[in-house]
Structures are given as C-alpha cells and as structure tokens.
Amino acid sequence: MAYRNQQHFIDTLEQAGELVRIKTFVDPNLEIAEITDRISKTPGGGKALLFENTGYDFPVLMNAYGSERRMCLALGVKHLDDVAGEIENLFHLLSAPKENIIDKLKVLPKLSQFASWMPKVKSGRGACQEVVMPEPDITKLPVITCWPKDGGPFVTLPVIHTKDPNTHTRNVGMYRMQVFGPRLTGMHWHKHKVSAKHFNEYKKLGKKMPVAVALGGDPVYAYSATAPLPENVDEYMLAGFLRKKKVELVKCITQPEIEVPADADFVIEGYVDPNDDMIWEGPFGDHTGYYSLPDWYPRFHITCITHKKNPVYPATIVGIPPQEDAWLGKATERIFLAPIKMTLVPEIIDMDMPVEGVFHNLVIAQLKKEYPGQGLKVMNAMWGAGQMMFNKILVLADEGARIQDYKSLAQYVFSHMNPATDIYFSQGPMDVLDHSCSKLGFGGKMCIDGTKKMNEELNEAFEFPLLSTQFDKQLVMQQFTEIRDINDALPAIHIPCLIIAVKKNRKRHIRELHQQLCASGIIEGIKMVLYVEHTVNANDLPVALWRFCNNLDPRRDHIPFQQPSRQIPGKTWACMGFDGTIKTKAFDDFERDWPNIIVAADETIASVDAKWEQLGLGAFVPSPSLKFKDQMYGEEAVVGWGNLK
C-alpha cells in the first residue's frame, strides 16, 4: 500500500488505535527519549507517540515502527513474511523455463510491474518544498537529544541521498547527524557504507559532494534506507515494490544533482567538502545499548531547508534493547530471507536475529541438512553475504529445531553440539560500533554448529554425562569467592550451559577460573560457560545475553578445556568458556576505550515521573534505566577505569 505522505500514515495509525497524541509540553532535550524508552519497552512495543507540544513549530513522531503490527502497517502487509513470499514467487516466475508463447506471456505483467516500481523524477517542486526557510537553520527543528552523555542533539531518522560522481548511481542510507550549529552537522557514515565510498570518489576529484536529507513521507522510505541492498540496487525501487507504486522524486533547490521524495515532510540540502577538516562527533547512545564513542567524521554544510505545510518531524531512539529498531531489524530478517535463500544459501529454511544480539551480534540460521560439513558451507556463505559479514555469533540448526522457540532451540543445539569439535572461529570485518574488538572494525567470529551430526562428523572419543547431581551452586561460590552469581536454571531444563557473574581482579583471571572450575569436576557435563561482569544479574537471561554478546570477541575470548571424564571411563569431556566481561588494559592488555551502557539521567527520570499523569499514557511505567543504574561504571560515556570496583 502506498501512503500519500507521513500524515496519511499517522491517520492510519490513529484509526487502528496505534497512536497516542501527547498534548502536554515535553522537552526534545532528553524527555521525549525517556518517555519513548518507557513505552517502547512495554509488552508489544506500546503505541506510536505524537508529541504535539515540543516548544517548536513542529510536532515529533516517535515509535512509529515500534511493534510488529505498526511495522506491517508501514509496509502495507498483514504479516512480515508476506513480502518474502512475494519476492520468492516473483523470482520463481522470472527464472522458470519458458517453453512456449503462453509461458512467456505470463511474465509480461510482472515485467510491467517492474517498470511501475522504478522511481520517477517529476518536473517542478514537490509538497516537500511548499515552504522554503528564508535562512536555513536546523536548530529551528525539534531535533532530539536522546541520552545524557550524547554529544548533543542528533537527527536520528534521516533518509540521506548521495550519488557516485562517476556513475551517478544513487544511494539512500541512514546515518545519524549531530547538530553543531544552524548550518552544520556531522555526517556519520562508516567506512563500509556506500555513501562513504561516494565521499572517497569526490575526494579523489577534489569536488564538493552534494547531499540531501529527507525526513518523513511514506514510511517505507526510512525502512528502505536501512535495508541491506546490493550497491547497484536503488533503494527507491525496493520502496516502489513495497508500496506497489513508484516513488515520485523532485530535484533539490540548491543541490539539483540530488532528487528527494516529493512527499517528504522536510528536506535538508547541503554538501560535504572533502577539503574540510573532519569534526569530532559523538558520543551517541547507540543501538548496541552502549555509547558509541566520539571520532572524526565529515562536516555537512546546510544550504537549504524546505518542508511541506504542517509537517511532522519523525525521530527514533536506540539504546538498550528492546527498542523500535528491533522491529525494523525483524522486517529485514523476514524480507531478506528469500533473497539469501535464492541467491546465496539455497539450503536455508529460516533465520532469526534475537533482539539481545542487537542485529549483527547473534544470528540463528536453520538449514535443510543433506550431507556432512554442510554447516561449514552455510557458515562461509553467510559471512560472505553483504552486511552479514559483520555477524559475530552464528548458530546453526537443522529441520529438527524450532528456531523461534529459544528454549527448544537451545535444547536441540546443545544436544547435538560438541564444544571441542563443533565450534568454529574466524576473524574479519566487524561493525564499527562493536567495542569488544581489539582493533576498530576488525575482530573475531564464531559459528556454533548445532545441527544433527552425520557419522562422518562424529568424534567418538567424546561423551557428555548429565551435570553431576553433586553440583552445588553455593559450594561453588564459596570455593571461588570471585563468583558473585550463577544462573544454574538452564541445566535444570537440559541445556548444559552456565552463566557465571565474576568480579575480575587480575590478568588471565577468567581463563584461570574456567580451567580450575572445570578441573574440579564440579561441573562435568556442562558444555559451555558464559562469564559476565559481577554487576550483571546472571539470572536475568535477556540482559545477561545482551551484555555477554556485546563484550565478547569469540576468537580472542574463548577458553577451551577438555579432560578424561570422571563419570564415563575411556571418554573425554569438553567445556568451552567465554569471557564476556569488560576488557581493560590492566587485566586484558586491551588498548581501546571501553564505552559505558546507556541510562537516563536521574533528573530526567524525575521530570518525566512528575508529568506522567498529564501525558495520557495510562498506568505509570517506571524508567527502564533504573534496572541498569548499578551496572554502570561511573557517569561518563567512556568507562573510567578508576570506577571498576
């Protein structure tokens, strides 16, 4: 379904009971983000929020994509899997043998549909240019400040348009923009992104790079900007396919080389000059749940700001999951399953990206297994597939598993996984936001092959008994006083894995602890131990997994152990440990800064608490940040090592 504009989408949300209008004044500086964080973490993702009283001329729309239902409404489908099914049917029709004239004629309507999805540049101005600011000033827009240690206000839902100066190929991406002044922002594109490649081409030519930023319009624009498309596929073709109607574009006023959607609410035009000095951008509370630390990024000079009459400023926040971006990620997981299956990994049946893995950190793939070693083939194909190259932990299962049922999945994977032979380590490109890597953007990966093994894959030297009935959690904690908590609930449901919270106090501490704990025989039968910070509640499984996945470089931080079994003579028992604790120079020879987790400021929490009854949001929802206050190390975005207690 094609929305006429963002207002049409807002009206649809309201009619569906998916939107709350907030008429009480709420400050874009921290308060909007705090309210949105509370609502987005309620069951089902809460409601979309329209803040109508912001102290600016424009209302702010938040959490518009923040549930499965709203994501489906944005994409015009009943179920997210519907899009993948349509792509798969289209692929089969176009690739099937054409044996006669009737077969060929059947394809013609689809070819016509292709043409109807291609974006079109129309003459004249669009609704997005109904009002032209006499003097462009981005500080006139209600740009939100999300978290207390952010470098400033950030544009968080920008649809950014650039072109290759040689081929004139368009790219539409989404990169945060820190506001530094009325006509200056940062342009936070990572080195792996297409717009960064365009920038490098302009740098070679010594030319200024035209850029345009659209905000609002049909909600599929923002989704398409986040989609992991190949470089040569126009994001507006995907948008046209999703909305079943071509995107109409208009030329910018001061940057006519760039076209933007005619129905956008705001357009910010400008340029990036390769000859400029970079600007120190950040910190920013990012989707990992940690602050991404400041670094040097290009300057974006604003030359014009236009908007439609009565526009709405769209924004989002990211932080400790779950947040609105989880549903954008879920849409990508479902939509791009079909292309991955059809072009790269035909044996893939399904995939899942748990929210605790914040997209790249943890991916589960289910395959139809037909021969030994097939998991390794899938592993290599997945890590070579576009943005899947950033994946840190890949878990493989086969047809016997139910991968969306995490309890059942874990039982299946652990029952078929030998930690000595079925965990594979590699290294390669990583997300620039992954703070656990010893080097920026380069680190370790692992694959856990939890598929049912064929004879050729088995090693009969190993056997795994059930966890000893003598296992005593309190006894272990008395024997190893640095252990502050143990989650022993998983072995009780036939998942041989422990999560242990440790107060690390010396070099090689976790490595030595794991060796001693395994050698004691107390945990014989356990296949994996995940070590987390002593501040983490090991029995809060979602939080413990989120912290663990973020803080782990699998290749560097794994600790193998194997010894003759005490319970099964002649057999070997193996247990793999993983150090998911904070890394420091003193204890780990870690040279990079380590970021803090993201929580709201006490004064912001108190301010929102005081006005909650006026907001019309129903029963009081306490700040999610309260749960994480005691997991912080000091108050700054960068962890102060003096605060490690």
Side-chain angles (χ1 to χ4, degrees), residues 467 471 486-491 495-500 517 523 526-531:
L467 180 63
F471 176 75
I486 300 176
N487 181 340
D488 60 346
L490 297 177
I495 300 171
C497 178
L498 295 175
I499 301 174
I500 298 181
L517 185 59
I523 64 168
I526 289 294
K527 292 186 176 183
M528 192 178 290
V529 180
L530 314 182
Y531 296 93

Side-chain angles (χ1 to χ4, degrees), residues 198-209:
H198 291 177
F199 174 68
N200 289 334
E201 292 303 312
Y202 275 97
K203 195 169 186 177
K204 292 175 187 175
L205 298 171
K207 293 182 178 180
K208 292 179 180 178
M209 176 180 177

Side-chain angles (χ1 to χ4, degrees), residues 523-564:
I523 64 168
E524 183 169 325
I526 289 294
K527 292 186 176 183
M528 192 178 290
V529 180
L530 314 182
Y531 296 93
V532 295
E533 279 298 299
H534 67 285
T535 57
V536 177
N537 179 359
N539 290 285
D540 186 337
L541 192 57
V543 171
L545 287 177
W546 160 64
R547 294 292 303 274
F548 171 80
C549 289
N550 270 289
N551 292 348
L552 178 78
D553 181 314
R555 190 169 185 268
R556 182 193 64 213
D557 296 334
H558 74 279
I559 312 161
F561 179 89
Q562 54 183 278
Q563 70 177 17

Side-chain angles (χ1 to χ4, degrees), residues 11 25 37 55 89 101 125 149-150 182 222 238 246 272 277 290 305-306 368 422 439 461 481 488 497 520 556 584:
D11 294 341
F25 170 72
D37 189 39
N89 291 337
I101 189 66
R125 293 191 176 184
K149 298 305 174 181
D150 282 358
L238 172 63
K246 67 181 61 180
V272 174
D277 290 333
Y290 291 74
I305 298 179
T306 68
K368 182 178 181 181
D422 299 328
K439 302 292 183 182
T481 56
D488 60 346
C497 178
S520 71
R556 182 193 64 213
T584 69

Side-chain angles (χ1 to χ4, degrees), residues 458-473:
L458 294 173
N459 187 327
E460 295 183 356
F462 292 89
E463 195 160 336
F464 296 86
L466 296 176
L467 180 63
S468 170
T469 55
Q470 297 179 10
F471 176 75
D472 185 324
K473 173 177 172 178

Side-chain angles (χ1 to χ4, degrees), residues 449-512:
D449 185 354
T451 61
K452 187 175 182 180
K453 300 302 180 295
M454 298 180 175
N455 287 336
E456 296 87 343
E457 300 171 296
L458 294 173
N459 187 327
E460 295 183 356
F462 292 89
E463 195 160 336
F464 296 86
L466 296 176
L467 180 63
S468 170
T469 55
Q470 297 179 10
F471 176 75
D472 185 324
K473 173 177 172 178
Q474 296 305 320
L475 180 64
V476 172
M477 294 175 66
Q478 289 173 12
Q479 186 171 342
F480 301 96
T481 56
E482 64 268 55
I483 294 178
R484 301 300 167 83
D485 195 12
I486 300 176
N487 181 340
D488 60 346
L490 297 177
I493 54 173
H494 308 295
I495 300 171
C497 178
L498 295 175
I499 301 174
I500 298 181
V502 181
K503 175 66 189 299
K504 187 165 65 174
N505 59 33
R506 63 183 183 274
K507 279 194 173 185
R508 298 181 56 84
H509 188 167
I510 302 299
R511 190 166 298 274
E512 292 171 358

